[in-house]
Amino acid sequence: MEWLQLLALAVIQGLTEFLPVSSSAHLILPAQLLGWQDQGLAFDVAVHIGTLMAVLWYYRSYVGRMTIGALQGVQTRQMNPDLKLALLLAWATLPAVIAGFLFKDMLEQHARSVAVITTTTLLFGALLWVADRRGSQRISLAAVGLGVATLIGLAQVLALIPGTSRSGITITAALLLGLHREDAANFSFLLSIPVILGAVVLMIAELASEAQIFSMLQLLVATMTSGVVAYLTIAFFIRLVNQLGMLPFVIYRLLLGLVLLVFFL
């Protein structure tokens, strides 16, 4: 893999991991247009570690409070707001873990086509627009309960289908359930921490059986590039989400879906 290709894909991963626009759709375009080879598992591990580091650093205050809250909860045997949030995030992660275990092989066989990605890009882009227009924006992050977390977690299962966008579908569900835009984004991004961590662990477990095509320097650069871009993307999105709403991302998804429809189907 050339350095230009490596940097371009690392930037794409950093940008699209957290924006509600689908990373799988964006990784298809350069591969199809430029004939780039598959980046391989080691590259995927590197860029996912970068995005994991980015979200952990951006939400370090939340992570620190949840850690302290969990320790205090164990010591006092009493619930506290930070422990509650940590438990809700863990609970909301379970549906995707179970579904991924049950349907991983089927999805890899039948759901990775351009037709599927085009359909989900358009469909869930339109649904994001509906959620942003119809959401009541009356629930704060602190007010999220078991029912809301469960429904967001169930929605996250759909992100196993390429083109859906994990952040897109969880933000959509959160908006439909009444969360404020910024709180919907915060819950979605916090929920990405166990998801990305789990994905990294699984990919590392599979690395031994794959021939490596990268030097350690290339993997380090990919990690740092995706991490920096992901951090800046989160900061940009959180800062502007209340002002812009989801419409710019809805328009972008619909245009991207049309490009895929016209040129690849």
Side-chain angles (χ1 to χ4, degrees), residues 108-127:
E108 287 184 350
Q109 270 190 317
H110 303 293
R112 301 191 70 84
S113 67
V114 177
V116 170
I117 292 173
T118 301
T119 302
T120 52
T121 298
L122 292 168
L123 175 63
F124 291 112
L127 186 60

Side-chain angles (χ1 to χ4, degrees), residues 99-251:
F101 178 77
L102 293 175
F103 303 114
K104 178 175 181 290
D105 293 338
M106 183 187 75
L107 289 169
E108 287 184 350
Q109 270 190 317
H110 303 293
R112 301 191 70 84
S113 67
V114 177
V116 170
I117 292 173
T118 301
T119 302
T120 52
T121 298
L122 292 168
L123 175 63
F124 291 112
L127 186 60
L128 178 61
W129 177 74
V130 172
D132 194 41
R133 299 244 331 173
R134 297 297 180 88
S136 61
Q137 298 194 45
R138 56 185 171 77
I139 300 176
S140 67
L141 186 61
V144 170
L146 184 61
V148 169
T150 300
L151 291 173
I152 295 174
L154 290 172
Q156 186 171 234
V157 172
L158 294 172
L160 295 171
I161 305 172
T164 301
S165 170
R166 193 212 61 83
S167 63
I169 195 61
T170 51
I171 289 173
T172 296
L175 289 171
L176 287 172
L177 291 166
L179 269 73
H180 299 288
R181 285 173 178 153
E182 186 174 339
D183 288 322
N186 283 331
F187 192 88
S188 172
F189 294 162
L190 287 168
L191 191 57
S192 74
I193 294 174
V195 172
I196 298 174
L197 179 60
V200 168
V201 170
L202 289 176
M203 287 188 288
I204 289 175
E206 297 175 10
L207 266 179
S209 61
E210 182 179 281
Q212 301 307 314
I213 59 174
F214 298 101
S215 67
M216 287 303 297
L217 176 60
Q218 287 176 311
L219 294 176
L220 180 61
V221 169
T223 299
M224 293 177 63
T225 301
S226 66
V228 170
V229 173
Y231 181 89
L232 294 174
T233 300
I234 296 170
F236 168 81
F237 187 80
I238 294 296
R239 179 172 296 183
L240 296 183
V241 67
N242 285 322
Q243 301 172 25
L244 297 178
M246 299 298 162
L247 184 59
F249 305 103
V250 170
I251 293 171

Side-chain angles (χ1 to χ4, degrees), residues 1 9-10 13 17 27 38-52 112 196 199-200 203-204 206-207 210 212 214 219 222-223 226:
M1 181 182 288
L9 292 176
Q13 180 66 33
E17 181 69 39
L27 292 172
D38 182 81
Q39 62 266 29
L41 196 56
F43 179 85
D44 286 342
V45 171
V47 294
H48 278 84
I49 288 175
T51 55
L52 178 62
R112 301 191 70 84
I196 298 174
V200 168
M203 287 188 288
I204 289 175
E206 297 175 10
L207 266 179
E210 182 179 281
Q212 301 307 314
F214 298 101
L219 294 176
T223 299
S226 66

Side-chain angles (χ1 to χ4, degrees), residues 80-95:
N80 59 67
D82 296 316
L83 174 58
K84 174 191 169 186
L85 179 58
L87 291 174
L88 289 175
L89 292 170
W91 176 254
T93 303
L94 283 178

Side-chain angles (χ1 to χ4, degrees), residues 4-19 21-31 34 36 39 43 47 51 222 225-227 229-230 233 252 256:
L4 179 60
Q5 180 182 348
L6 181 142
L7 290 172
L9 292 176
V11 169
I12 290 171
Q13 180 66 33
L15 277 172
T16 59
E17 181 69 39
F18 297 105
L19 292 180
V21 295
S22 172
S23 58
S24 53
H26 287 80
L27 292 172
I28 276 184
L29 286 172
L34 303 174
W36 287 352
Q39 62 266 29
F43 179 85
V47 294
T51 55
T225 301
S226 66
V229 173
T233 300
Y252 181 81
L256 176 62

